Amino acid sequence: MYQPLGVQRLIYRTRIASYVKAGLIDYAVKVFEEMTLSECRVFGIDYNRFIGVLIRHSRLDLAHHYYSKMAPLGFSLSSFTYSRFISGLCQTKEFMFIEKLLNDMDRLHCVPDIWAFNIYLNLLFRENREESALEVFGRMVERGREP
C-alpha cells in the first residue's frame, strides 16, 4: 500500500519541480493543491519547499495561504524559510503577519537569521515604529542575535 503512495508523491514532486524550473508557478500551485487534496501523504518538507518557492517568486499571498493550511497539520517551516518569509513580508509591510511568524518561531524555539531581523528593524524605523523596533531589538539580543 505504501509503495504506490510513495510513487505518487514522487510524481507530484517531480511535476511541481518541473513547473517551478520552467517559471510556471500557477501550474505548480495547481499540482500542489491537487497533491494536498489527494490520497497522497504530504509531509512538512513539501510545504516548506513549496512555500519557499512562493516566497522566492513574490507570491506572498499564496505563501500565507499554505502556511495557514500547514500549521493545523502540525508542520512548521525551517528557520531559513521563516527568515525569507519575514524578509519578503517586509516589502509589503505586513506587520501583523510578521509578528505572527515571529511568535510561531518563538514557540518552536527557533530564531530568524540576522538578515531577516535587520530587514525588519530597518522597516520598523522607516515606518516610525521606534517602540516596536526597540522591542524587536531586545528580542534579538535575548536570543543571541546581535544586530
Side-chain angles (χ1 to χ4, degrees):
M1 179 172 159
Y2 289 108
Q3 181 64 20
L5 294 179
V7 170
Q8 191 62 35
R9 182 173 41 255
L10 181 61
I11 292 168
Y12 277 121
R13 286 176 174 172
T14 302
R15 289 176 58 205
I16 292 166
S18 296
Y19 285 133
V20 168
K21 285 180 184 175
L24 302 170
I25 304 306
D26 289 332
Y27 288 104
V29 169
K30 288 178 185 175
V31 173
F32 188 80
E33 188 67 25
E34 181 184 317
M35 181 173 138
T36 62
L37 297 174
S38 74
E39 295 290 318
C40 178
R41 184 172 174 201
V42 181
F43 293 95
I45 189 81
D46 297 310
Y47 278 96
N48 195 67
R49 287 178 180 163
F50 191 64
I51 288 171
V53 164
L54 295 172
I55 294 165
R56 189 169 50 252
H57 289 273
S58 301
R59 302 293 296 270
L60 300 175
D61 56 334
L62 283 170
H64 186 172
H65 169 75
Y66 285 107
Y67 181 78
S68 298
K69 287 180 77 170
M70 72 177 252
L73 300 172
F75 300 139
S76 63
L77 299 176
S78 68
S79 181
F80 178 80
T81 305
Y82 271 117
S83 294
R84 298 293 67 79
F85 207 171
I86 290 167
S87 297
L89 290 168
C90 285
Q91 295 173 5
T92 58
K93 302 178 184 176
E94 294 186 48
F95 296 104
M96 290 180 61
F97 193 54
I98 292 169
E99 282 299 318
K100 180 191 178 354
L101 292 178
L102 289 170
N103 290 333
D104 289 352
M105 290 183 81
D106 280 346
R107 278 194 294 282
L108 296 167
H109 304 288
C110 65
V111 183
D113 64 26
I114 193 66
W115 297 105
F117 260 135
N118 282 337
I119 290 168
Y120 187 41
L121 274 177
N122 185 37
L123 172 65
L124 290 170
F125 278 114
R126 278 194 335 254
E127 295 295 313
N128 297 316
R129 295 178 174 221
E130 292 85 6
E131 197 170 307
S132 295
L134 291 173
E135 183 182 308
V136 169
F137 180 83
R139 279 194 272 171
M140 283 175 68
V141 174
E142 284 175 11
R143 292 177 182 90
R145 295 281 192 221
E146 294 296 323

